[in-house]
Amino acid sequence: MLREEFPSSTLNDAWPSELEVADQVPIAASLADAQRVLREVPLWFHTFSLNTEHALYTPGKARDHGYRLASIPESFEGLSALDVGTFDGFYAFLSEARGAGRVLAVDNEQYIEWVRGRWGVELRGAEGFEAIRELLGSQVQYRRMDAFELDRLEEQFDFIFCFGILHRVENPIGLLQRLRRRLSSGGTILVETYGVRNDDGADNGIVLIPSRDGVYAGDEYVYWQFSSSGLERLAALAGLGEFELHDTPIVDDHPRIIGRITTAA
């Protein structure tokens, strides 16, 4: 995809697809508040639409998340949602904007070390999330919590986001088991993770572990890559239902995979 040139003072050098994603959660902050937030938060992972009149967006590091939108329900009316590994919280706020009555966002804030190693920026944790929640007047709740501590929660959710996490944990089956215990009957886990190239579903459920050198520069937290049949097998081993493949895009020359996992019958 060709990169368009935007004035850095307005669109913050974002990819066009990220602006389309950001526009799904219009914030309509005042110019003063938008500029204040841009000054105060040292690094953004997600792109948010702060002020459309002046074309002010947060300069998110994440690229080409547009492919995720097709897999996310247009309406969350009557649903509760859990966003695991929320970072700046875009998908938690998106589910609230689409009608979710209860939204919980959790993150262990390991990204503090990741951001320091990859970009040399110091974060205290949840700066971006807190800034957006304030601007929106959002009711989304945030908890600093590791995904492997989810059994501490005393509630279940109809919809769980698991974006960009599964390839970053040493025990992906254990993570899916914990997500299963937090999932309501008939609920859905939407998983997006590191994939394989030319995924045709025919590798007999093998999960591959790549060399940790050269996956992402300055990033030592990528352990796995998954095929569609590998995710289907993992879901079964974790006591979940079927994995339904949605897409296998190449993003910034890296293979990704996204699909939904439901509760077992």
Side-chain angles (χ1 to χ4, degrees):
M1 182 174 108
L2 293 176
R3 189 173 187 174
E4 296 184 14
E5 294 299 324
F6 298 109
S8 60
S9 62
T10 56
L11 298 186
N12 300 299
D13 204 27
W15 289 81
S17 59
E18 290 311 308
L19 306 185
E20 294 172 6
V21 175
D23 288 341
Q24 299 296 308
V25 185
I27 295 174
S30 69
L31 178 60
D33 282 341
Q35 292 174 332
R36 172 180 56 81
V37 163
L38 289 173
R39 289 194 305 269
E40 292 176 353
V41 178
L43 180 139
W44 293 89
F45 185 67
H46 292 137
T47 302
F48 288 93
S49 175
L50 298 178
N51 180 299
T52 56
E53 179 183 357
H54 295 277
L56 286 178
Y57 292 77
T58 63
K61 294 293 187 181
R63 290 292 183 246
D64 202 19
H65 279 198
Y67 68 90
R68 293 176 170 181
L69 288 180
S71 299
I72 300 173
E74 288 290 335
S75 174
F76 279 78
E77 291 291 340
L79 300 179
S80 57
L82 172 66
D83 185 17
V84 181
T86 195
F87 210 138
D88 294 328
F90 179 83
Y91 296 99
F93 296 123
L94 176 64
S95 57
E96 181 183 54
R98 293 187 174 184
R102 159 69 170 152
V103 184
L104 177 64
V106 302
D107 203 301
N108 66 0
E109 298 176 8
Q110 184 189 61
Y111 62 76
I112 294 175
E113 298 178 17
W114 177 62
V115 166
R116 182 187 302 122
R118 193 166 179 183
W119 290 293
V121 175
E122 291 291 335
L123 296 175
R124 60 171 171 77
E127 295 101 314
F129 182 96
E130 292 171 358
I132 298 301
R133 181 171 59 182
E134 178 186 356
L135 291 177
L136 284 170
S138 170
Q139 298 301 307
V140 173
Q141 292 187 345
Y142 179 89
R143 290 186 65 173
R144 187 180 189 278
M145 173 183 288
D146 192 89
F148 285 88
E149 300 175 329
L150 288 173
D151 285 336
R152 290 167 45 195
L153 300 177
E154 297 181 354
E155 60 184 311
Q156 293 182 313
F157 299 85
D158 302 305
F159 195 95
I160 298 177
F161 292 94
C162 182
F163 283 171
I165 300 174
L166 207 60
H167 57 282
R168 295 183 177 276
V169 298
E170 296 179 3
N171 181 7
I173 296 175
L175 175 56
L176 289 177
Q177 288 172 331
R178 286 160 176 80
L179 296 182
R180 173 179 55 79
R181 292 195 286 269
R182 301 277 60 82
L183 192 62
S184 301
S185 177
T188 296
I189 302 170
L190 188 59
V191 174
E192 188 271 348
T193 186
Y194 204 88
V196 298
R197 296 181 187 272
N198 304 313
D199 185 352
D200 61 3
D203 65 2
N204 201 26
I206 296 173
V207 180
L208 304 173
I209 179 167
S211 165
R212 291 176 65 189
D213 296 326
V215 179
Y216 293 109
D219 186 345
E220 298 181 354
Y221 296 96
V222 177
Y223 299 100
W224 308 94
Q225 58 187 136
F226 302 98
S227 65
S228 53
S229 56
L231 285 176
E232 184 175 20
R233 181 171 176 80
L234 282 181
L237 289 171
L240 287 157
E242 295 181 355
F243 171 77
E244 176 188 342
L245 177 65
H246 286 191
D247 199 4
T248 56
I250 302 296
V251 179
D252 224 7
D253 200 36
H254 292 279
R256 310 294 290 192
I257 183 170
I258 185 169
R260 57 183 290 167
I261 303 174
T262 54
T263 49

